[in-house]
Amino acid sequence: MASLNVGGLGEYLREQRRTAQLSLRQLADAAGVSNPYLSQIERGLRKPSAEILQQIAKALRISAETLYVQAGILDERDRGEVETRGVILADPTLDERQKQVLLQIYESFRKENGYGADDGPAGEGGTSSAGTADAS
């Protein structure tokens, strides 16, 4: 597990918040954290727990895994898949049903090409485990 990349996480959160057109206060309220605490996270002064990252991800309507990668909690080698899932989940032009269908199609193509839900190519020591995307 990598060490927490707090500065990079804060910049990423700020970018996602601005993309979602949310003020710091609006995101803090939606995520159930205090405005000063969220500000400190964005400035790289605080290391949020996985639970707090999950709350923030839900408020931003992105996958928690995307934030875990940014924070260095999730292994870097999983980043490509996590980013793909994050982009799908963050797309405001798709409704929740469309996002879930698209994720299912994406996962079926990965399996067809010899990749598990969270693994590298088949035969590289990984076993397929069906990952669930945080779509809420």
Side-chain angles (χ1 to χ4, degrees):
M1 183 184 307
S3 62
L4 290 180
N5 180 10
V6 184
L9 171 65
E11 292 169 17
Y12 182 79
L13 281 175
R14 185 178 299 114
E15 178 184 317
Q16 292 300 309
R17 178 176 58 78
R18 289 179 177 161
T19 299
Q21 298 180 338
L22 293 171
S23 70
L24 191 67
R25 187 172 308 280
Q26 288 171 321
L27 179 56
D29 288 344
V33 299
S34 74
N35 189 46
Y37 182 62
L38 183 59
S39 175
Q40 291 172 348
I41 293 170
E42 281 195 0
R43 291 181 288 140
L45 302 175
R46 292 282 190 163
K47 297 178 185 178
S49 68
E51 182 179 315
I52 296 295
L53 288 174
Q54 188 172 17
Q55 290 172 224
I56 293 170
K58 186 174 182 179
L60 287 170
R61 302 182 60 82
I62 62 175
S63 73
E65 290 85 359
T66 301
L67 293 185
Y68 297 160
V69 169
Q70 290 296 321
I73 294 172
L74 188 63
D75 194 333
E76 185 70 26
R77 66 183 166 85
D78 298 328
R79 186 180 195 132
E81 178 189 356
V82 169
E83 286 181 349
T84 300
R85 290 174 177 275
V87 168
I88 291 169
L89 292 171
D91 189 331
T93 64
L94 301 174
D95 65 32
E96 292 306 312
R97 183 193 60 80
Q98 292 168 328
K99 291 176 185 180
Q100 290 306 309
V101 169
L102 191 51
L103 286 171
Q104 289 170 357
I105 292 168
Y106 171 68
E107 188 57 39
S108 72
F109 283 143
R110 284 180 48 81
K111 286 180 182 175
E112 183 178 305
N113 291 332
Y115 287 81
D118 296 317
D119 303 323
E124 289 189 6
T127 57
S128 178
S129 61
T132 57
D134 181 21
S136 54

